[in-house]
Amino acid sequence: MEHILSLNNMSKLSGRNYVFFKSIEAILESNDALYSDVYDSSLSQLVVVINRLLFLNYLSRDQLANASREEVDAMLEDFVEADLFRDIFDLKYLTKCLLEYDVVDKLSNIKASTLIVTTSDLFYMDIENDVLPLEGTIDNVVIKVITPE
């Protein structure tokens, strides 16, 4: 592979993002139906709850701060509806992967030219702690932080 383009990625799951996904894990594990062989409708309700939380990861701080409650409600409803058929087990394994698998120590293995592009106003990402450390771990990396006006 000659080139890698990464958009809005963080180098590690730590701090508030770790707490966020530990909370999702607790929500998942709170429903005994997750461990049953028979599908229960409460799992669909769980998908809705988790999607409401995941919605925070798709907005910038400015979008969230400047939107009215009605606008936030409409965006949230659209987001949840679009992911309504997401499999609960996909959410379970995604959360488990994020919490258990840390790739920071493997980033130095990347030899391809790498361009990382991110925006400075994402709600869930701290540029200084989540993105900029990649500069010291990947050879031949360029990081571009876009600051919306």
Side-chain angles (χ1 to χ4, degrees), residues 19-114:
V19 172
F20 181 83
F21 282 100
K22 285 298 282 185
S23 299
I24 289 178
E25 178 184 53
I27 291 168
L28 286 164
E29 291 175 353
S30 72
N31 190 322
D32 292 335
L34 192 65
Y35 304 102
S36 173
D37 291 336
V38 179
Y39 188 84
D40 187 273
S41 63
S42 66
L43 294 176
S44 295
Q45 295 166 344
L46 209 55
V47 169
V48 171
V49 169
I50 292 171
N51 280 337
R52 285 178 177 260
L53 288 172
L54 290 173
F55 175 70
L56 285 173
N57 290 342
Y58 294 91
L59 290 179
S60 72
R61 283 185 284 261
D62 288 341
Q63 282 176 306
L64 196 55
N66 295 324
S68 68
R69 285 186 175 185
E70 292 80 16
E71 291 169 323
V72 171
D73 284 343
M75 289 186 291
L76 180 57
E77 189 64 34
D78 287 346
F79 182 83
V80 168
E81 188 175 308
D83 268 3
L84 194 56
F85 297 105
R86 178 181 251 178
D87 190 294
I88 190 72
F89 295 101
D90 288 346
L91 290 169
K92 177 185 174 194
Y93 295 122
L94 169 68
T95 301
K96 183 176 179 165
C97 178
L98 288 170
L99 290 171
E100 293 182 7
Y101 189 67
D102 185 359
V103 298
V104 173
D105 62 334
K106 296 178 180 38
L107 294 174
S108 62
N109 295 339
I110 297 174
K111 302 302 177 205
S113 298
T114 304

Side-chain angles (χ1 to χ4, degrees), residues 134-149:
L134 294 171
E135 204 162 37
T137 58
I138 301 172
D139 292 336
N140 203 12
V141 65
V142 174
I143 297 175
K144 296 287 184 191
V145 178
I146 299 168
T147 304
E149 296 178 10

